[in-house]
Every structure is written in C-alpha cells, then in structure tokens.
C-alpha cells in the first residue's frame, strides 16, 4: 500500500544498508524514496491501519464460546455476540480488516 510509505523524512526508520537499490529495498518489504538527502532512503513502512469488526456474515463466524454462553461472558472474552440466526455460533471472534 502506497500510503504506508508516506512518512515525514525525520520519521523514517532505516530498513536497508548503505547503497541499497530501490529494487532490493522493495523486495525486502520496505519503502524507497531518494528525494531527501541525509535521511534513510530505504525505510520501514507505517504499520497497516486495522480495525476489529463483528462480521455480518453468519456463516464465516469462528466460535469463541460454548453452547449457552451469555452476552456478558462472551464480551469478557473480547468477542462479538449476536443471538441470531440459529445454527451458527452466537459468540464469535472479530475479523480484522485493513482500512
């Protein structure tokens, strides 16, 4: 993701070695920008922004509880609770989505 490489030059963390090429840098999963002298040109990308969501797709739920678990017990486990539909886990893990 390009936006992960939009870092102020002073915020860059070196991700390569002196003289690394743009291709070598990118192959290592790093960002390359040689426009500013005196700062790392090959640098670590910003971490991806992710958020946890309770998926609406009932068939992709991964069980986080046990039969008869209450909403309170489920939330204490840090999971999602939806008491519908029948036949799928009502207490289930979040899905992590990239923003």
């Amino acid at each position: 993701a390009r936006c992960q490489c939009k870092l102020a030059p002073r915020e860059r963390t070196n991700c390569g070695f002196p003289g690394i090429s743009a291709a070598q840098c990118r192959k290592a999963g790093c960002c390359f920008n040689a426009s500013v002298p005196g700062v790392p040109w090959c640098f670590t990308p910003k971490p991806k922004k992710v958020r946890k969501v309770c998926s609406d797709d009932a068939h992709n739920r991964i069980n986080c509880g046990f039969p008869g678990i209450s909403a309170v017990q489920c939330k204490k486990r840090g999971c999602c609770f939806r008491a519908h539909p029948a036949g799928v886990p009502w207490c289930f893990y979040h899905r992590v989505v990239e923003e």
Side-chain angles (χ1 to χ4, degrees):
R2 276 232 157 104
C3 54
Q4 284 178 259
C5 291
K6 285 194 175 133
L7 274 164
R10 60 184 164 71
E11 291 173 359
R12 293 179 183 175
T13 306
N14 201 347
C15 192
F17 51 87
I20 191 170
S21 73
Q24 288 169 313
C25 177
R26 291 198 180 100
K27 205 174 199 172
C30 305
C31 303
F32 189 87
N33 181 333
S35 63
V36 184
V39 297
W41 287 359
C42 180
F43 53 96
T44 309
K46 280 194 279 197
K48 288 183 173 140
K49 282 204 169 105
V50 293
R51 62 192 169 102
K52 288 179 169 182
V53 294
C54 294
S55 176
D56 286 325
D57 186 353
H59 301 290
N60 284 342
R61 290 179 184 174
I62 299 165
N63 199 350
C64 179
F66 49 85
I69 191 170
S70 72
V72 172
Q73 289 169 313
C74 179
K75 294 234 173 13
K76 272 192 183 148
R77 290 181 172 208
C79 292
C80 305
F81 187 85
R82 293 220 172 101
H84 58 80
V88 296
W90 287 359
C91 180
F92 53 97
Y93 289 99
H94 292 91
R95 282 195 39 222
V96 175
V97 289
E98 283 182 31
E99 297 193 316

Coordinates of all heavy atoms in Angstrom, one line a residue:
A1 N 0.8 -1.2 0.0 CA 0.0 0.0 0.0 C 0.9 1.2 0.0 O 1.7 1.4 0.9 CB -0.9 0.0 1.2
R2 N 0.7 2.1 -1.0 CA 1.5 3.3 -1.1 C 1.4 4.2 0.1 O 2.4 4.8 0.5 CB 1.0 4.1 -2.4 CG 1.6 3.5 -3.6 CD 2.2 4.7 -4.4 NE 3.2 4.3 -5.3 CZ 3.0 4.2 -6.6 NH1 1.9 4.5 -7.1 NH2 4.0 3.9 -7.4
C3 N 0.2 4.3 0.6 CA 0.0 5.3 1.7 C 0.9 4.9 2.9 O 1.2 5.8 3.8 CB -1.4 5.4 2.1 SG -2.2 3.8 2.5
Q4 N 1.3 3.7 3.1 CA 2.1 3.3 4.2 C 3.5 3.8 4.1 O 4.3 3.8 5.0 CB 2.2 1.7 4.2 CG 1.0 1.1 4.8 CD 1.1 -0.4 4.7 OE1 0.6 -1.1 3.9 NE2 1.9 -0.9 5.7
C5 N 3.9 4.3 2.9 CA 5.2 4.9 2.7 C 5.2 6.4 2.8 O 6.2 7.1 2.6 CB 5.8 4.5 1.3 SG 6.2 2.7 1.3
K6 N 4.1 7.0 3.1 CA 4.0 8.5 3.2 C 4.4 8.8 4.6 O 3.6 8.9 5.5 CB 2.6 9.0 2.9 CG 2.3 9.0 1.4 CD 1.1 9.8 1.0 CE 0.9 9.9 -0.5 NZ -0.4 9.6 -0.9
L7 N 5.7 9.0 4.8 CA 6.3 9.3 6.2 C 7.1 10.5 6.0 O 7.8 10.7 5.0 CB 7.2 8.1 6.6 CG 6.6 7.0 7.3 CD1 7.5 5.8 7.4 CD2 6.2 7.4 8.8
A8 N 7.1 11.4 7.0 CA 8.0 12.6 7.0 C 9.4 12.1 7.1 O 9.7 11.1 7.8 CB 7.7 13.4 8.2
P9 N 10.3 12.7 6.4 CA 11.7 12.2 6.4 C 12.3 11.9 7.8 O 13.0 11.0 8.0 CB 12.5 13.3 5.6 CG 11.5 13.9 4.7 CD 10.1 13.8 5.5
R10 N 12.0 12.8 8.7 CA 12.5 12.6 10.1 C 11.9 11.5 10.8 O 12.4 11.0 11.9 CB 12.4 13.9 10.9 CG 11.0 14.4 11.1 CD 10.9 15.7 11.8 NE 9.6 16.3 11.7 CZ 8.5 15.9 12.2 NH1 8.5 14.8 13.0 NH2 7.3 16.5 12.0
E11 N 10.8 10.9 10.3 CA 10.1 9.8 11.0 C 10.6 8.5 10.4 O 10.1 7.4 10.8 CB 8.6 9.9 10.8 CG 8.0 11.1 11.6 CD 6.5 11.3 11.3 OE1 6.0 10.6 10.5 OE2 6.0 12.2 11.9
R12 N 11.5 8.5 9.4 CA 11.9 7.3 8.8 C 12.8 6.4 9.6 O 13.7 7.0 10.3 CB 12.6 7.6 7.5 CG 11.7 8.2 6.4 CD 12.5 8.5 5.2 NE 11.6 9.1 4.2 CZ 12.0 9.6 3.0 NH1 13.3 9.5 2.7 NH2 11.2 10.2 2.2
T13 N 12.6 5.1 9.6 CA 13.5 4.2 10.3 C 14.2 3.4 9.2 O 13.5 2.8 8.3 CB 12.6 3.2 11.2 OG1 11.8 4.0 12.0 CG2 13.5 2.3 12.0
N14 N 15.5 3.4 9.3 CA 16.3 2.7 8.2 C 15.9 1.2 8.1 O 15.7 0.5 9.1 CB 17.8 2.8 8.6 CG 18.7 2.6 7.4 OD1 18.2 2.2 6.3 ND2 19.9 3.0 7.5
C15 N 15.8 0.8 6.9 CA 15.3 -0.5 6.6 C 16.3 -1.3 5.7 O 16.1 -2.4 5.2 CB 13.9 -0.5 6.0 SG 13.1 -2.0 5.9
G16 N 17.4 -0.6 5.3 CA 18.3 -1.2 4.4 C 19.8 -1.1 4.8 O 20.1 -1.0 6.0
F17 N 20.6 -1.0 3.8 CA 22.1 -0.9 4.1 C 22.5 0.2 3.1 O 21.9 0.5 2.1 CB 22.8 -2.2 3.8 CG 22.5 -2.8 2.5 CD1 23.2 -2.5 1.4 CD2 21.5 -3.8 2.4 CE1 22.9 -3.1 0.1 CE2 21.2 -4.4 1.2 CZ 21.9 -4.0 0.1
P18 N 23.7 0.8 3.4 CA 24.2 1.9 2.5 C 24.3 1.4 1.1 O 24.8 0.3 0.9 CB 25.5 2.3 3.1 CG 25.4 1.9 4.6 CD 24.6 0.6 4.6
G19 N 23.8 2.2 0.2 CA 23.9 1.8 -1.2 C 22.8 0.8 -1.7 O 22.9 0.4 -2.9
I20 N 21.8 0.5 -0.9 CA 20.8 -0.4 -1.4 C 20.0 0.2 -2.5 O 19.8 1.4 -2.6 CB 19.8 -0.8 -0.2 CG1 18.9 -1.9 -0.5 CG2 19.0 0.5 0.2 CD1 18.1 -2.5 0.7
S21 N 19.7 -0.7 -3.5 CA 18.9 -0.2 -4.6 C 17.4 -0.2 -4.3 O 17.0 -0.9 -3.3 CB 19.1 -1.1 -5.8 OG 18.4 -2.4 -5.6
A22 N 16.7 0.6 -5.1 CA 15.2 0.6 -4.9 C 14.6 -0.7 -5.0 O 13.7 -1.1 -4.2 CB 14.6 1.6 -5.9
A23 N 15.1 -1.5 -5.9 CA 14.5 -2.9 -6.1 C 14.8 -3.8 -4.9 O 13.9 -4.5 -4.4 CB 15.1 -3.5 -7.4
Q24 N 16.0 -3.7 -4.4 CA 16.4 -4.6 -3.3 C 15.6 -4.1 -2.0 O 15.1 -5.0 -1.3 CB 17.9 -4.4 -2.9 CG 18.8 -5.0 -3.9 CD 20.3 -4.6 -3.7 OE1 20.6 -3.4 -3.5 NE2 21.2 -5.6 -3.7
C25 N 15.4 -2.8 -1.9 CA 14.7 -2.3 -0.8 C 13.2 -2.8 -0.8 O 12.7 -3.2 0.2 CB 14.7 -0.8 -0.8 SG 13.8 0.1 0.4
R26 N 12.6 -2.6 -2.0 CA 11.2 -3.0 -2.1 C 11.0 -4.5 -1.9 O 10.0 -5.0 -1.4 CB 10.6 -2.6 -3.4 CG 10.5 -1.0 -3.4 CD 9.6 -0.5 -4.5 NE 9.5 0.9 -4.5 CZ 10.3 1.7 -5.3 NH1 11.0 1.2 -6.2 NH2 10.2 3.0 -5.2
K27 N 12.0 -5.3 -2.4 CA 11.9 -6.7 -2.2 C 11.9 -7.1 -0.8 O 11.4 -8.2 -0.4 CB 13.2 -7.4 -3.0 CG 12.9 -8.8 -3.4 CD 14.1 -9.2 -4.2 CE 13.8 -10.5 -5.1 NZ 14.8 -10.8 -6.0
A28 N 12.6 -6.3 0.1 CA 12.7 -6.6 1.5 C 11.4 -6.1 2.2 O 11.3 -6.2 3.4 CB 13.9 -5.9 2.1
G29 N 10.4 -5.6 1.4 CA 9.2 -5.1 2.0 C 9.2 -3.7 2.6 O 8.4 -3.3 3.4
C30 N 10.2 -3.0 2.1 CA 10.4 -1.6 2.7 C 10.0 -0.6 1.6 O 9.8 -0.9 0.5 CB 11.9 -1.4 3.1 SG 12.4 -2.7 4.2
C31 N 10.0 0.7 2.1 CA 9.7 1.8 1.2 C 11.0 2.4 0.7 O 12.0 2.4 1.4 CB 9.0 2.9 2.0 SG 7.4 2.3 2.7
F32 N 11.0 2.9 -0.5 CA 12.2 3.6 -1.1 C 11.8 5.0 -1.6 O 10.9 5.1 -2.4 CB 12.8 2.8 -2.2 CG 14.2 3.3 -2.6 CD1 15.3 2.8 -2.0 CD2 14.3 4.2 -3.7 CE1 16.6 3.3 -2.4 CE2 15.5 4.6 -4.1 CZ 16.7 4.2 -3.4
N33 N 12.6 6.0 -1.1 CA 12.4 7.3 -1.6 C 13.7 8.1 -1.5 O 14.1 8.4 -0.3 CB 11.3 8.0 -0.8 CG 11.0 9.4 -1.3 OD1 11.8 10.1 -1.9 ND2 9.8 9.9 -1.1
A34 N 14.3 8.4 -2.6 CA 15.7 9.0 -2.6 C 15.6 10.5 -2.8 O 16.6 11.1 -3.2 CB 16.5 8.4 -3.6
S35 N 14.4 11.1 -2.5 CA 14.3 12.6 -2.8 C 14.9 13.5 -1.8 O 15.1 14.7 -2.0 CB 12.8 12.9 -3.1 OG 12.1 12.7 -1.9
V36 N 15.1 13.0 -0.6 CA 15.6 13.8 0.5 C 17.0 13.3 0.9 O 17.1 12.2 1.5 CB 14.7 13.8 1.7 CG1 15.2 14.8 2.8 CG2 13.2 14.2 1.3
P37 N 18.1 14.1 0.7 CA 19.4 13.7 1.2 C 19.5 13.7 2.7 O 18.8 14.5 3.4 CB 20.3 14.7 0.5 CG 19.5 15.9 0.2 CD 18.1 15.4 0.1
G38 N 20.4 12.8 3.2 CA 20.7 12.9 4.6 C 19.7 12.1 5.5 O 19.8 12.2 6.7
V39 N 18.7 11.4 4.9 CA 17.8 10.6 5.7 C 17.8 9.2 5.1 O 18.2 9.1 3.9 CB 16.4 11.2 5.8 CG1 16.4 12.6 6.5 CG2 15.8 11.3 4.4
P40 N 17.3 8.2 5.8 CA 17.2 6.9 5.2 C 16.4 6.9 3.9 O 15.3 7.5 3.9 CB 16.6 6.0 6.2 CG 16.9 6.7 7.5 CD 16.9 8.2 7.2
W41 N 16.9 6.4 2.8 CA 16.1 6.3 1.6 C 15.3 5.0 1.5 O 14.3 4.9 0.9 CB 17.1 6.3 0.4 CG 17.7 7.7 0.1 CD1 17.4 8.8 0.8 CD2 18.6 8.0 -0.9 NE1 18.1 9.9 0.3 CE2 18.9 9.4 -0.7 CE3 19.2 7.3 -1.9 CZ2 19.8 10.1 -1.6 CZ3 20.1 8.0 -2.7 CH2 20.4 9.4 -2.6
C42 N 15.8 4.0 2.2 CA 15.1 2.7 2.3 C 14.6 2.7 3.7 O 15.4 2.6 4.7 CB 16.0 1.6 2.0 SG 15.2 0.0 2.1
F43 N 13.3 2.7 3.9 CA 12.8 2.8 5.3 C 11.6 1.9 5.5 O 10.9 1.5 4.6 CB 12.4 4.3 5.6 CG 11.5 5.0 4.6 CD1 10.2 5.0 4.9 CD2 12.0 5.5 3.5 CE1 9.3 5.7 4.0 CE2 11.2 6.1 2.6 CZ 9.8 6.2 2.8
T44 N 11.3 1.7 6.8 CA 10.2 0.8 7.2 C 8.9 1.5 7.0 O 8.7 2.7 7.3 CB 10.4 0.6 8.8 OG1 11.7 0.1 9.0 CG2 9.4 -0.5 9.2
P45 N 7.9 0.8 6.4 CA 6.6 1.4 6.1 C 5.8 1.5 7.4 O 6.2 0.9 8.4 CB 5.9 0.3 5.2 CG 6.6 -0.9 5.4 CD 8.0 -0.6 5.9
K46 N 4.9 2.4 7.4 CA 4.0 2.6 8.6 C 3.2 1.3 8.7 O 2.8 0.7 7.8 CB 3.0 3.8 8.3 CG 3.6 5.1 8.5 CD 2.5 6.2 8.6 CE 2.0 6.6 7.3 NZ 1.3 7.9 7.2
P47 N 2.9 1.0 10.0 CA 2.0 -0.2 10.2 C 0.7 0.0 9.5 O 0.2 1.1 9.5 CB 1.9 -0.4 11.7 CG 2.4 0.9 12.3 CD 3.2 1.6 11.2
K48 N 0.1 -1.1 9.1 CA -1.2 -1.0 8.4 C -2.2 -0.6 9.5 O -2.1 -1.1 10.6 CB -1.6 -2.4 7.9 CG -0.9 -2.7 6.6 CD -1.3 -4.0 6.1 CE -0.7 -4.3 4.7 NZ -0.2 -5.6 4.5
K49 N -3.2 0.2 9.1 CA -4.3 0.5 10.0 C -5.3 -0.6 9.9 O -5.8 -0.9 8.8 CB -4.9 1.9 9.6 CG -4.1 3.1 10.0 CD -5.0 4.3 10.1 CE -4.2 5.5 10.8 NZ -3.8 6.5 9.9
V50 N -5.6 -1.2 11.0 CA -6.6 -2.2 11.0 C -7.6 -1.9 12.1 O -7.3 -1.2 13.0 CB -5.9 -3.6 11.3 CG1 -5.0 -4.0 10.1 CG2 -5.2 -3.7 12.6
R51 N -8.8 -2.5 11.9 CA -9.8 -2.4 13.0 C -10.5 -3.7 13.1 O -10.5 -4.5 12.2 CB -10.7 -1.3 12.7 CG -11.5 -1.4 11.5 CD -12.2 -0.1 11.2 NE -12.8 -0.2 9.8 CZ -14.1 -0.4 9.6 NH1 -14.9 -0.5 10.5 NH2 -14.5 -0.5 8.3
K52 N -11.0 -4.0 14.3 CA -11.7 -5.2 14.5 C -13.2 -5.0 14.3 O -13.7 -3.9 14.7 CB -11.6 -5.6 16.0 CG -10.2 -6.2 16.3 CD -10.1 -6.5 17.8 CE -8.9 -7.3 18.1 NZ -8.9 -7.7 19.5
V53 N -13.8 -5.9 13.5 CA -15.3 -5.7 13.3 C -16.0 -7.0 13.6 O -15.4 -8.1 13.5 CB -15.5 -5.4 11.8 CG1 -15.0 -4.0 11.5 CG2 -15.0 -6.4 10.8
C54 N -17.2 -6.9 13.9 CA -18.1 -8.1 14.1 C -18.7 -8.3 12.8 O -19.6 -7.5 12.4 CB -19.1 -7.9 15.2 SG -18.3 -7.7 16.9
S55 N -18.3 -9.4 12.1 CA -18.8 -9.6 10.8 C -20.3 -9.9 10.7 O -20.8 -10.6 11.6 CB -18.0 -10.8 10.2 OG -18.5 -11.1 8.9
D56 N -20.9 -9.4 9.7 CA -22.4 -9.7 9.5 C -22.6 -11.1 8.8 O -23.7 -11.6 8.7 CB -23.0 -8.6 8.6 CG -23.2 -7.4 9.5 OD1 -23.5 -7.5 10.7 OD2 -23.1 -6.3 8.9
D57 N -21.5 -11.7 8.3 CA -21.6 -12.9 7.6 C -21.7 -14.1 8.6 O -20.7 -14.5 9.1 CB -20.5 -13.1 6.6 CG -20.6 -14.4 5.7 OD1 -21.6 -15.1 6.0 OD2 -19.8 -14.6 4.8
A58 N -22.9 -14.5 8.9 CA -23.1 -15.5 9.9 C -22.3 -16.8 9.7 O -21.9 -17.6 10.6 CB -24.6 -15.8 10.1
H59 N -22.1 -17.2 8.4 CA -21.5 -18.5 8.0 C -20.0 -18.5 8.2 O -19.4 -19.5 8.1 CB -22.0 -18.9 6.6 CG -23.5 -19.0 6.6 ND1 -24.2 -20.0 7.2 CD2 -24.4 -18.2 6.0 CE1 -25.5 -19.8 7.0 NE2 -25.6 -18.7 6.3
N60 N -19.4 -17.3 8.3 CA -18.0 -17.2 8.5 C -17.6 -17.0 9.9 O -16.4 -16.7 10.2 CB -17.4 -16.1 7.6 CG -17.3 -16.5 6.2 OD1 -17.4 -17.7 5.8 ND2 -17.2 -15.5 5.3
R61 N -18.5 -17.2 10.9 CA -18.2 -17.0 12.3 C -17.3 -18.1 12.8 O -17.5 -19.3 12.5 CB -19.5 -16.9 13.1 CG -20.3 -15.7 12.8 CD -21.5 -15.7 13.7 NE -22.4 -14.5 13.3 CZ -23.6 -14.3 13.8 NH1 -24.1 -15.2 14.7 NH2 -24.3 -13.3 13.5
I62 N -16.3 -17.7 13.6 CA -15.4 -18.7 14.3 C -15.8 -18.6 15.7 O -15.7 -17.6 16.4 CB -13.9 -18.3 14.1 CG1 -13.6 -18.4 12.6 CG2 -13.1 -19.3 14.8 CD1 -12.3 -17.7 12.2
N63 N -16.2 -19.8 16.2 CA -16.7 -19.9 17.6 C -15.7 -19.4 18.6 O -14.6 -19.8 18.6 CB -17.1 -21.3 17.9 CG -18.1 -21.4 19.0 OD1 -18.3 -20.5 19.8 ND2 -18.7 -22.6 19.2
C64 N -16.2 -18.6 19.6 CA -15.4 -18.0 20.6 C -15.9 -18.5 22.0 O -15.4 -18.1 23.0 CB -15.4 -16.5 20.5 SG -14.4 -15.7 21.8
G65 N -17.0 -19.2 22.0 CA -17.6 -19.5 23.3 C -18.0 -21.0 23.4 O -17.3 -21.8 22.9
F66 N -19.1 -21.2 24.0 CA -19.7 -22.6 24.2 C -21.2 -22.5 24.1 O -21.7 -21.4 24.3 CB -19.2 -23.1 25.6 CG -19.4 -22.1 26.7 CD1 -20.7 -22.1 27.3 CD2 -18.4 -21.3 27.1 CE1 -20.9 -21.2 28.4 CE2 -18.7 -20.4 28.1 CZ -19.9 -20.3 28.8
P67 N -21.9 -23.6 23.9 CA -23.3 -23.5 23.8 C -23.9 -22.9 25.1 O -23.5 -23.2 26.2 CB -23.7 -25.0 23.7 CG -22.5 -25.6 23.1 CD -21.4 -24.9 23.7
G68 N -24.8 -21.9 24.9 CA -25.5 -21.3 26.0 C -24.7 -20.1 26.7 O -25.1 -19.6 27.7
I69 N -23.5 -19.7 26.1 CA -22.8 -18.6 26.7 C -23.6 -17.4 26.6 O -24.4 -17.1 25.7 CB -21.4 -18.4 25.9 CG1 -20.5 -17.4 26.6 CG2 -21.7 -17.9 24.5 CD1 -19.1 -17.4 26.0
S70 N -23.5 -16.5 27.7 CA -24.2 -15.3 27.7 C -23.4 -14.2 27.0 O -22.2 -14.3 26.8 CB -24.5 -14.9 29.2 OG -23.2 -14.4 29.8
A71 N -24.2 -13.1 26.7 CA -23.5 -12.0 26.0 C -22.4 -11.4 26.9 O -21.3 -11.0 26.4 CB -24.6 -10.9 25.7
V72 N -22.6 -11.4 28.2 CA -21.6 -10.8 29.2 C -20.4 -11.7 29.2 O -19.3 -11.2 29.1 CB -22.2 -10.7 30.6 CG1 -21.2 -10.3 31.6 CG2 -23.4 -9.7 30.6
Q73 N -20.6 -13.0 29.3 CA -19.4 -13.9 29.2 C -18.6 -13.8 27.9 O -17.4 -13.8 27.9 CB -19.9 -15.4 29.4 CG -20.4 -15.7 30.8 CD -21.1 -17.1 30.8 OE1 -22.0 -17.4 29.9 NE2 -20.8 -17.9 31.8
C74 N -19.4 -13.7 26.8 CA -18.8 -13.6 25.5 C -17.9 -12.3 25.4 O -16.8 -12.3 25.0 CB -19.9 -13.6 24.5 SG -19.2 -13.4 22.8
K75 N -18.5 -11.2 25.9 CA -17.8 -9.9 25.8 C -16.6 -9.9 26.7 O -15.5 -9.3 26.4 CB -18.7 -8.7 26.2 CG -19.9 -8.6 25.2 CD -20.0 -7.2 24.6 CE -20.9 -6.9 23.5 NZ -21.9 -7.7 23.1
K76 N -16.6 -10.6 27.8 CA -15.5 -10.7 28.7 C -14.3 -11.4 28.0 O -13.2 -11.2 28.3 CB -15.9 -11.5 30.0 CG -16.4 -10.6 31.1 CD -16.5 -11.3 32.4 CE -17.1 -10.4 33.5 NZ -17.9 -11.2 34.4
R77 N -14.6 -12.3 27.1 CA -13.6 -13.0 26.3 C -13.1 -12.1 25.2 O -12.2 -12.5 24.4 CB -14.2 -14.2 25.7 CG -14.5 -15.3 26.7 CD -15.0 -16.5 26.0 NE -15.1 -17.6 27.0 CZ -15.1 -18.9 26.7 NH1 -14.9 -19.3 25.4 NH2 -15.1 -19.8 27.6
G78 N -13.7 -10.9 25.0 CA -13.3 -10.0 24.0 C -13.8 -10.3 22.6 O -13.3 -10.0 21.6
C79 N -15.0 -11.0 22.6 CA -15.6 -11.5 21.3 C -16.9 -10.8 21.0 O -17.4 -10.0 21.8 CB -15.7 -13.0 21.3 SG -14.1 -13.8 21.3
C80 N -17.4 -11.1 19.8 CA -18.7 -10.5 19.4 C -19.8 -11.4 19.8 O -19.7 -12.6 19.9 CB -18.7 -10.4 17.8 SG -17.4 -9.6 17.1
F81 N -21.0 -10.8 20.1 CA -22.2 -11.6 20.4 C -23.4 -11.2 19.6 O -23.7 -10.0 19.6 CB -22.5 -11.5 21.9 CG -23.6 -12.4 22.4 CD1 -23.3 -13.7 22.8 CD2 -24.9 -12.0 22.4 CE1 -24.3 -14.6 23.2 CE2 -25.9 -12.8 22.9 CZ -25.6 -14.1 23.2
R82 N -23.9 -12.1 18.9 CA -25.2 -11.8 18.2 C -26.1 -13.1 18.3 O -25.7 -14.1 17.8 CB -24.9 -11.6 16.7 CG -24.2 -10.3 16.4 CD -24.7 -9.5 15.3 NE -24.1 -8.2 15.2 CZ -23.1 -7.9 14.4 NH1 -22.6 -8.8 13.5 NH2 -22.5 -6.7 14.4
A83 N -27.2 -12.9 18.9 CA -28.1 -14.1 19.2 C -29.0 -14.4 18.1 O -30.2 -14.6 18.2 CB -28.9 -13.8 20.5
H84 N -28.4 -14.5 16.9 CA -29.2 -14.8 15.7 C -28.1 -15.1 14.6 O -27.0 -14.6 14.7 CB -30.1 -13.7 15.3 CG -29.4 -12.4 15.0 ND1 -28.8 -12.1 13.9 CD2 -29.2 -11.3 15.8 CE1 -28.2 -10.9 13.9 NE2 -28.5 -10.4 15.1
P85 N -28.4 -15.8 13.6 CA -29.5 -16.7 13.4 C -29.2 -18.0 14.1 O -28.1 -18.2 14.7 CB -29.5 -17.0 11.9 CG -28.1 -16.8 11.5 CD -27.5 -15.7 12.4
A86 N -30.2 -19.0 14.1 CA -30.0 -20.2 14.8 C -29.0 -21.1 14.0 O -28.8 -20.9 12.8 CB -31.3 -21.0 14.8
G87 N -28.3 -22.0 14.7 CA -27.4 -22.9 14.0 C -26.0 -22.4 13.7 O -25.2 -23.1 13.0
V88 N -25.7 -21.2 14.1 CA -24.3 -20.7 14.0 C -23.8 -20.2 15.3 O -24.7 -19.9 16.2 CB -24.2 -19.5 12.9 CG1 -24.6 -20.0 11.5 CG2 -25.1 -18.4 13.3
P89 N -22.5 -20.0 15.5 CA -22.0 -19.5 16.8 C -22.6 -18.1 17.1 O -22.6 -17.3 16.2 CB -20.5 -19.5 16.7 CG -20.2 -20.4 15.6 CD -21.4 -20.4 14.7
W90 N -23.1 -17.9 18.3 CA -23.6 -16.6 18.7 C -22.4 -15.7 19.3 O -22.5 -14.5 19.3 CB -24.7 -16.7 19.7 CG -26.0 -17.1 19.0 CD1 -26.2 -17.4 17.7 CD2 -27.3 -17.3 19.6 NE1 -27.5 -17.8 17.5 CE2 -28.2 -17.8 18.6 CE3 -27.7 -17.2 20.9 CZ2 -29.5 -18.0 18.9 CZ3 -29.1 -17.5 21.2 CH2 -29.9 -17.9 20.2
C91 N -21.4 -16.4 19.8 CA -20.3 -15.7 20.4 C -19.1 -16.1 19.4 O -18.8 -17.3 19.3 CB -20.0 -16.2 21.8 SG -18.6 -15.5 22.6
F92 N -18.5 -15.1 18.8 CA -17.6 -15.4 17.7 C -16.5 -14.3 17.7 O -16.6 -13.2 18.2 CB -18.2 -15.5 16.4 CG -19.1 -14.3 16.0 CD1 -18.6 -13.3 15.2 CD2 -20.4 -14.2 16.5 CE1 -19.4 -12.2 14.9 CE2 -21.2 -13.1 16.2 CZ -20.7 -12.1 15.4
Y93 N -15.3 -14.7 17.1 CA -14.2 -13.8 17.1 C -14.4 -12.6 16.1 O -15.1 -12.8 15.1 CB -12.9 -14.6 16.6 CG -12.4 -15.5 17.7 CD1 -12.7 -16.8 17.7 CD2 -11.7 -15.0 18.8 CE1 -12.3 -17.7 18.7 CE2 -11.2 -15.8 19.8 CZ -11.5 -17.2 19.7 OH -11.1 -18.0 20.7
H94 N -13.8 -11.5 16.4 CA -13.8 -10.4 15.5 C -13.0 -10.8 14.2 O -12.1 -11.6 14.2 CB -13.0 -9.2 16.1 CG -13.7 -8.5 17.3 ND1 -13.4 -8.9 18.5 CD2 -14.6 -7.6 17.3 CE1 -14.2 -8.2 19.4 NE2 -14.9 -7.3 18.6
R95 N -13.3 -10.1 13.2 CA -12.5 -10.1 12.0 C -11.7 -8.8 11.9 O -12.1 -7.8 12.3 CB -13.3 -10.2 10.7 CG -13.9 -11.6 10.5 CD -14.4 -11.9 9.2 NE -13.7 -11.4 8.1 CZ -14.3 -10.8 7.0 NH1 -15.6 -10.7 6.9 NH2 -13.5 -10.3 6.0
V96 N -10.4 -9.0 11.5 CA -9.5 -7.8 11.4 C -9.6 -7.3 9.9 O -9.3 -8.1 9.0 CB -8.1 -8.1 11.9 CG1 -7.2 -6.9 11.6 CG2 -8.1 -8.5 13.3
V97 N -9.9 -6.1 9.7 CA -9.9 -5.6 8.3 C -9.0 -4.4 8.2 O -8.8 -3.6 9.1 CB -11.4 -5.1 7.9 CG1 -12.3 -6.3 7.7 CG2 -12.0 -4.2 8.9
E98 N -8.3 -4.3 7.0 CA -7.5 -3.2 6.8 C -8.3 -2.0 6.4 O -9.2 -2.1 5.6 CB -6.5 -3.5 5.7 CG -5.4 -4.4 6.1 CD -4.4 -4.7 5.0 OE1 -4.2 -3.9 4.1 OE2 -3.8 -5.8 5.0
E99 N -7.8 -0.8 6.8 CA -8.6 0.4 6.5 C -7.9 1.0 5.2 O -6.8 0.9 5.0 CB -8.5 1.4 7.6 CG -9.3 0.8 8.8 CD -9.6 1.9 9.9 OE1 -8.7 2.7 10.2 OE2 -10.7 1.9 10.4

